[in-house]
Amino acid sequence: MSDTKIIKLSLIFFMFYLVNSSPPEDPIKCSDDNNFNCTITNTYGAFPDRTICKAGQAVFPTTEEEVISIVANATRENRKMKIATRFSHSIPKLVCLDNGDQEGLLISTKFLNKIIRIDQENMMITVESGVTLRQLISEAGKAGLVLPYTPYWWGLTIGGLIGTGAHGSSLWGLGSSVHDYIVQLRIVTPADAANNYAKVRILENGSPDLNAVRVSLGVLGVVSQVTLKLEQVFKRSITFSERDDSNLGEDAATFGRQHEFADFTWYPSQRKVIYRMDDRVSTDTPGNALNDFLGFRPTDQNLLAVFRTLEEIQESTNDAGGKCTGAIINTSILKRLSYGWRNSGTGYPMVGFHNQVQASGTCLDSLEGAACPWDHRVKGLFFHQTTFTISLSKVKGFIEDVQRLVALEPKALCVLDLYNGILMRYVTTSNAYLGKQEDSLDFDITYYRSKDPMSPRLFQDFLEEIEQLAFFKYGALPHWGKNRNVAFIGAINKYKNVDKFLQVKQSYDHLGLFSSEWTDQVLGLKDGLSIVKEGCALEGLCICSKDIHCAPNKGYFCRPGRIYKDARVCTNSSLSTIDIQTRKTISTSM
């Protein structure tokens, strides 16, 4: 494709990104004005198993006192509870009550959204748990303070992001996980009759219980307030460097020590990587850059529909070449538009204040005409996410195995490039019982999901093999707020302090009122995490062991992996004899 054509496409794409947006809807919907007979979903409109999660009632407390009253009343009635956030970004069923529970209660933190205090002298901020990351960054910035490391998407709530262990990218200081910057936390838990059925527990930094609550999956109670340690505002200098991926395995283990906010965006089918060289600099360094990532900007609904329709056509016609052409266009656009960063100067490095570059998400703004690209109310992106962390000591082997898969079929992973490649971020060892166990590299993989759960994807087996490589060969830890069911199989056994977490859980909520069948399965307390049925492997609900778990009527059968022979994946039977021979040759030569 000529540079002129790419520039024209880039300009068209950019023009569509300039429209205004509709805000995401509330994930809770109830049948009457008193908030009875409710359903809850996530912002993507579908959980991994596509079930509709129901509740008897939803409540929207505005103060900690109201939370105490709600928890006390529910405990007295032995009523199950689940915590919901304003935008509900978690993909797994963390917010779901048990199926068939007609009395369960949803406690939304939507209106627990106040900044309690900012302590400039001691550089701390206290917020209610429903405060969004965007609010926190904005209000702290007005006081000349910043949270040093955060996720890149500012639509998360503080309670939600610490509950699932969300993070940015850094191996420096305490690392990139927000929960490791908690100074104090207040959580409302069930209690006995002598304590009026609810208790406010105030946990200070250093408390062993805090290591359980830092990443709680919402099963310990309702976090009402969080105090976080901040820093004086500073600037960052950012340069994006495009390189081939031949040294990625070696660089992955060391690059994070060289740059404080280092990360990678890997386009495996194109065999290239965007290295982000990102460090703090003095506040008097010239520059006023702004991070407004293209994927988080408001997108015209008609354009979203065009993109999705094209994807569906490519999938139904096995048009791998079309996906790869689109991938090249997409990455070229991103590069020419500096990956969505707005810079007052020209070229690199881009310099800006930390609170202006650490996160973005302008599609949350409330005007009509467009939406966040994944908004399920419009025909837009609909995807799976597989997100995991691999120890730095093992990451080279994993990357090289993925490269071996790409060598077998270079077109197989073009779908990832259409979703901005594989985002790779650094995370450090955490004291949180369900936090990171070692210094690691996080891989965030987003890819096409069919609206039909029985419809296999193009090169279905490649992504399934990568998923199983990560979790079972390399012992990856799952991101608690993302992933399909397969990622959580046996995962809890990888956490050396899980017994301590379960002891705190028993102490705080011995009746399991904040637990569900799904969280019990994830925590290893119940079986049933794998949902074995026809087509279950297509959605990551199971690992196939029989052809019927794939789509034999569409030519997809359960077979061993190409590189990782212990994997069991849904493979298209149309693989030619020549391709099989090529696969054997590459496997034995590497």
Side-chain angles (χ1 to χ4, degrees), residues 276-298:
R276 176 164 161 169
M277 294 169 285
D278 188 341
D279 295 284
R280 68 175 71 198
V281 292
S282 170
T283 54
D284 59 9
T285 305
N288 195 30
L290 175 68
N291 178 6
D292 191 11
F293 176 60
L294 288 170
F296 296 162
R297 291 187 194 177

Side-chain angles (χ1 to χ4, degrees), residues 11-124:
L11 290 173
I12 293 170
F13 187 81
F14 185 58
M15 287 171 65
F16 273 113
Y17 266 98
L18 293 179
V19 297
N20 296 320
S21 66
S22 301
E25 67 177 354
D26 196 308
I28 298 174
K29 294 186 181 301
C30 302
S31 63
D32 60 37
D33 293 338
N34 294 317
N35 295 319
F36 286 98
N37 299 318
C38 305
T39 61
I40 185 168
T41 185
N42 54 29
T43 193
Y44 317 103
F47 294 111
D49 63 1
R50 302 194 189 223
T51 56
I52 297 173
C53 293
K54 298 180 180 181
Q57 184 183 6
V59 289
F60 298 82
T62 60
T63 64
E64 183 181 81
E65 288 72 22
E66 291 180 11
V67 174
I68 295 168
S69 177
I70 290 165
V71 172
N73 289 335
T75 303
R76 186 182 297 109
E77 297 169 1
N78 198 29
R79 191 179 190 186
K80 288 271 192 171
M81 295 168 273
K82 275 295 171 186
I83 309 154
T85 60
R86 166 64 182 90
F87 298 118
S88 190
H89 283 102
S90 290
I91 292 174
K93 298 169 66 175
L94 290 170
V95 297
C96 291
L97 294 147
D98 291 336
N99 289 337
D101 186 347
Q102 301 299 315
E103 301 298 326
L105 183 66
L106 293 173
I107 304 173
S108 173
T109 62
K110 179 177 181 178
F111 299 119
L112 288 173
N113 58 1
K114 294 179 285 296
I115 306 290
I116 304 298
R117 73 183 64 87
I118 298 176
D119 183 344
Q120 287 184 279
E121 181 179 354
N122 294 304
M123 293 188 292
M124 295 187 294

